[in-house]
Amino acid sequence: MNRQITLVKRPTGMPDESCFKMISSAMPHPANGQVLVKTRFISVDPYMRGRMNDRKSYVPPFQLNEVLNGGVVGEIVESKSSSFVKGNIVVGNLGWQDYSVAEAKDVRRINLEFGPVSTALGVLGMTGLTAYFGFLEIGEPKKGETVVVSGAAGAVGTIVGQIAKIYGCRVVGIAGSDIKVKYLKDELGFDDAINYHASTDLTKALSDTCPNGVDIYYDNVGGTISDAVITLINNGARIPLCGQISLYNEKKIPVGPRIQPLLLSHSALMQGFLVRNYADRFDQGIYQLAEWLREKKLKYSESIMEGLENAPKAFIGLFVGENLGKQLVSVAHDGNEKKLKKDPATKSKK
Ligand SMILES: NC(=O)c1ccc[n+]([C@@H]2O[C@H](COP(=O)([O-])OP(=O)(O)OC[C@H]3O[C@@H](n4cnc5c(N)ncnc54)[C@H](OP(=O)(O)O)[C@@H]3O)[C@@H](O)[C@H]2O)c1
């Protein structure tokens, strides 16, 4: 049987576990041109919250009583495609389930030389690429500039801050606990970090630690945190608008200060983006991120929750800051992780 997690109720406000249900269905079988993938790791991501609303957006909403889907790393256990053989490790957009059937064109082999397979969902996957392209393409960092990152201890934020250090910037992170602040400063080399939960006056705390103002604000969270940072921008500041997680569970979007006069008077750029805008350059991004990992210029952290049944819990945890770095769910761990370091060569049936 194939265990699957479905969405049974659309959340209003903060999601809870009653929105999800685990079901079992018959094992799927691949047809010609398809592969059967055994799930190893599932990525839970904040954007999925938007897909749980019945609202048109840049990705269609999840349907009620259907299996949720997102980034998955898995092992090919049956192939009816000449592009893959049994044992290949792939990444793709697949279901929250033990086994998925996928069109061969919809999954991509992972380069196992670059890092453990789980990294294909984090630092060498969607979130690493989001950090890389959003920061470099919109942030356009210059040596000596001051960079502020919100959501700094998360999957995207941890990578943005370290790339900023590689580019010679002064980096200040904003995160939700003292442990996260310590991690950012002691492990990842951030110049400073602020626990926004413990700060009574975030604008003052930021202006104390950014005496020369803010040149780049990488915005992962929006809301009042971003309101505070934006009051400190310098002339020509760049604001890559990556995420607004503080607003994803709001039933009515709160109205904040009008920031346009600040953007105008500082000739600042605020630009929203989706990582998929850079899809044709993903290989280049993965290669560079892997190179920085190899050179030990980049570190990453993963919070791994065990068991498919815990995927909803892991997802909900994103909205209360339970993760440090990339939140993943491990599925079907059978002690064969070492085996995943070897990927059988694909035989072409030409
Ligand atoms: N534009 C794109 O293509 C793209 C791609 C990927 C991700 N994103 C966005 O980037 C952001 C980060 O994503 P991620 O995958 O790296 O997630 P993440 O940062 O690993 O996890 C979410 C983190 O957000 C923080 N958070 C939760 N609720 C918050 C609130 N109300 N106020 C402030 N912080 C809050 C929590 O950390 P604390 O403990 O610090 O509160 C939590 O750990 C999200 O907004 C996501 O939607 C955008």
Side-chain angles (χ1 to χ4, degrees):
M1 295 300 279
N2 190 23
R3 297 176 309 152
Q4 303 175 306
I5 309 275
T6 56
L7 182 74
V8 289
K9 192 173 76 183
R10 297 196 185 281
T12 41
M14 182 78 176
D16 63 42
E17 290 197 46
S18 69
C19 299
F20 306 90
K21 187 176 173 194
M22 182 178 256
I23 59 165
S24 275
S25 60
M27 274 292 291
H29 295 288
N32 281 341
Q34 295 182 326
V35 290
L36 181 64
V37 181
K38 181 180 183 189
T39 304
R40 290 282 177 177
F41 290 98
I42 289 176
S43 171
V44 289
D45 292 278
Y47 80 90
M48 293 172 174
R49 176 64 187 85
R51 295 193 68 190
M52 290 172 189
N53 298 328
D54 193 12
R55 210 179 293 145
K56 213 174 150 196
S57 183
Y58 61 95
V59 262
F62 291 124
Q63 295 304 305
L64 283 180
N65 301 313
E66 287 196 0
V67 182
L68 289 151
N69 64 68
V72 164
V73 159
E75 181 177 354
I76 300 223
V77 290
E78 190 181 345
S79 175
K80 294 232 170 114
S81 155
S82 58
S83 307
F84 296 99
V85 295
K86 195 168 175 256
N88 286 152
I89 309 300
V90 293
V91 62
N93 212 56
L94 302 175
W96 286 17
Q97 54 192 349
D98 288 319
Y99 294 90
S100 295
V101 161
E103 297 296 329
K105 66 175 174 44
D106 292 337
V107 292
R108 171 176 66 75
R109 264 172 91 184
I110 295 171
N111 187 335
L112 300 179
E113 313 257 293
F114 285 170
V117 296
S118 56
T119 57
L121 296 171
V123 58
L124 301 180
M126 191 272 277
T127 52
L129 292 166
T130 302
Y132 179 83
F133 286 110
F135 181 66
L136 294 180
E137 296 294 318
I138 301 170
E140 295 192 15
K142 290 167 205 70
K143 196 166 178 218
E145 287 190 323
T146 299
V147 176
V148 172
V149 189
S150 57
V156 175
T158 48
I159 306 304
V160 169
Q162 292 180 87
I163 297 176
K165 288 307 300 176
I166 292 169
Y167 275 74
C169 300
R170 180 164 191 281
V171 183
V172 175
I174 304 174
S177 75
D178 289 343
I179 290 172
K180 291 184 178 184
V181 161
K182 190 168 162 32
Y183 174 74
L184 295 174
K185 292 201 285 187
D186 296 353
E187 294 292 324
L188 301 190
F190 280 50
D191 296 282
D192 203 356
I194 298 170
N195 173 358
Y196 69 92
H197 284 310
S199 174
T200 47
D201 186 344
L202 188 57
T203 308
K204 167 136 192 356
L206 279 164
S207 68
D208 286 348
T209 193
C210 302
N212 299 324
V214 175
D215 300 298
I216 303 176
Y217 171 46
Y218 193 100
D219 187 4
N220 279 316
V221 305
T224 54
I225 292 175
S226 297
D227 295 343
V229 183
I230 289 168
T231 59
L232 301 171
I233 54 173
N234 288 331
N235 283 339
R238 285 84 66 204
I239 306 172
L241 196 53
C242 175
Q244 298 281 286
I245 192 168
S246 73
L247 306 178
Y248 295 170
N249 291 314
E250 293 289 343
K251 292 176 194 155
K252 193 164 174 250
I253 297 294
V255 178
R258 315 282 178 196
I259 59 166
Q260 288 88 339
L262 275 173
L263 298 177
L264 187 154
S265 59
H266 291 89
S267 304
L269 171 80
M270 176 184 253
Q271 188 182 323
F273 72 98
L274 298 174
V275 63
R276 69 181 186 192
N277 300 352
Y278 303 98
D280 58 346
R281 291 166 59 197
F282 279 178
D283 284 350
Q284 171 216 322
I286 293 170
Y287 184 82
Q288 178 60 79
L289 291 160
E291 189 65 8
W292 284 330
L293 281 182
R294 199 184 57 75
E295 294 169 350
K296 304 209 183 319
K297 290 182 178 162
L298 195 60
K299 294 182 185 173
Y300 66 94
S301 169
E302 294 171 333
S303 298
I304 300 184
M305 199 170 275
E306 296 281 335
L308 177 66
E309 66 281 9
N310 288 320
K313 195 181 285 173
F315 169 72
I316 293 165
L318 294 170
F319 300 96
V320 283
E322 290 197 344
N323 59 306
L324 180 69
K326 177 68 199 148
Q327 181 67 57
L328 297 170
V329 178
S330 81
V331 181
H333 270 213
D334 50 15
N336 276 338
E337 293 317 296
K338 278 214 178 84
K339 202 184 83 186
L340 298 185
K341 291 196 172 128
K342 276 193 139 190
D343 191 33
T346 306
K347 285 184 213 125
S348 171
K349 280 188 186 159
K350 265 181 204 164

